[in-house]
Amino acid sequence: MSRLSLALRIAIALLMVDSIIELSFVSSMVAWVHRRASQGFLFNYNGSTYLLAGEPLNLMVDQGHTSNGAAGTAFVVIGLGGILTLSLRHWFYHKLGPLGIITRSLYNLWAFINIPAFLLTTGALAYVFAVTNAHEGQTIDVSLAAALNGNPYPFNFWTPQNWFSAVLQLDLVDARDDIESHLYVMRGWQYNLIPMFIVQLGVTVLALWEFSSWRRQTRTTEKP
C-alpha cells in the first residue's frame, strides 16, 4: 500500500470519528429539547415564580438539520462508502465482466462525490455560524415572559444556542446546571464543524489525488 493510499484511509477514519461526534451532539440536543426543555423552566420575577416555555415560538432548527445532513453524508457516503469502494477496487478493479465494470464505476463515482459532500460541509459550517452570530446577544423580556403564563415566547427568532443562553440570564428556580451542560453540547456541535471541515478537506484532496495517481498507474499497466 502506498503512502498516499494509507494517508487517505487514515483521513477517512478520522472523518468518520468526527462525523459520529457531530451526529451524537446533535441527537443529544434534540433529545434533551424534546424530553426536558419542552416541560418549561420556572423563574423568579418581582417576588413571584413564573413558568417559561422551554422553546420559543420562533425556534430556528434548520442549522441543526444541515449539520446533521453534512455529518451523515460524511459518515455514510464518504466513510462507509469509501471503505467499501476502496476494498472493491483492491480486489476487483482489473477483473473483466460485470463485476469489474461495477467496481470501476463505483470508484469513479465515490472519488468525485467527495466534492459535493465537502461543499455540503462547507455550507453547513458557514450557515450555522452566520445564523448563530446574527442572533447573538438577544435577551428575553422578563416582564413579558412572566405575563405569558407558560406560552411560547413570541418575539425574535432564536437558535438553540442563543435561546438557552438567554434563558440562563433569568433568575431560574432550578435546572441551571442542566441547561449549562446541554448548552456546552449545543456549542460543541457548532464548533465541531470546524475540525470536520478541515478533515474532510484533507479527505477530498487525498481522494482526488489518489484517484489521479491510480488512473495513471492503470493506464501504464494496460499499455501493450
Side-chain angles (χ1 to χ4, degrees):
M1 182 184 297
S2 68
R3 292 182 179 180
L4 181 57
S5 295
L6 179 60
L8 174 59
R9 284 160 173 77
I10 292 173
I12 289 173
L14 290 175
L15 179 62
M16 292 179 72
V17 170
D18 195 71
S19 58
I20 278 291
I21 292 173
E22 183 73 9
L23 290 168
S24 299
F25 280 174
V26 174
S27 297
S28 176
M29 178 198 72
V30 172
W32 179 77
V33 169
H34 288 301
R35 184 187 68 251
R36 171 61 186 92
S38 60
Q39 300 174 17
F41 304 102
L42 295 174
F43 67 98
N44 298 315
Y45 177 65
N46 282 346
S48 299
T49 300
Y50 300 92
L51 177 66
L52 174 72
E55 300 177 46
L57 185 63
N58 301 307
L59 182 64
M60 305 172 68
V61 296
D62 286 346
Q63 67 274 20
H65 295 320
T66 304
S67 300
N68 212 39
T73 301
F75 182 80
V76 176
V77 178
I78 305 305
L80 295 179
I83 292 172
L84 175 62
T85 302
L86 294 174
S87 298
L88 289 173
R89 185 193 70 175
H90 177 73
W91 293 105
F92 302 115
Y93 192 89
H94 296 289
K95 297 290 184 181
L96 299 176
L99 189 57
I101 294 173
I102 292 173
T103 297
R104 290 187 287 273
S105 298
L106 284 175
Y107 177 53
N108 293 344
L109 176 63
W110 178 81
F112 286 100
I113 210 170
N114 273 274
I115 297 173
F118 172 66
L119 292 176
L120 176 59
T121 298
T122 304
L125 173 66
Y127 177 60
V128 168
F129 274 87
V131 171
T132 303
N133 291 339
H135 297 274
E136 191 72 32
Q138 292 178 176
T139 58
I140 297 171
D141 185 326
V142 186
S143 60
L144 172 61
L148 289 173
N149 195 30
N151 290 312
Y153 189 80
F155 290 166
N156 298 325
F157 287 83
W158 304 82
T159 66
Q161 296 92 325
N162 302 145
W163 170 251
F164 291 106
S165 294
V167 171
L168 287 173
Q169 297 177 30
L170 302 177
D171 182 13
L172 296 171
V173 174
D174 56 14
R176 181 173 294 276
D177 290 342
D178 192 23
I179 296 173
E180 287 178 342
S181 65
H182 283 87
L183 185 56
Y184 285 130
V185 173
M186 296 173 201
R187 288 174 175 156
W189 67 255
Q190 176 185 348
Y191 284 93
N192 185 62
L193 287 168
I194 297 174
M196 195 170 92
F197 166 81
I198 295 171
V199 174
Q200 193 163 355
L201 173 61
V203 170
T204 304
V205 171
L206 288 170
L208 295 176
W209 186 5
E210 205 226 16
F211 174 79
S212 177
S213 176
W214 181 270
R215 291 297 298 271
R216 284 198 304 270
Q217 292 175 11
T218 301
R219 290 194 183 101
T220 301
T221 303
E222 292 174 349
K223 284 182 179 180

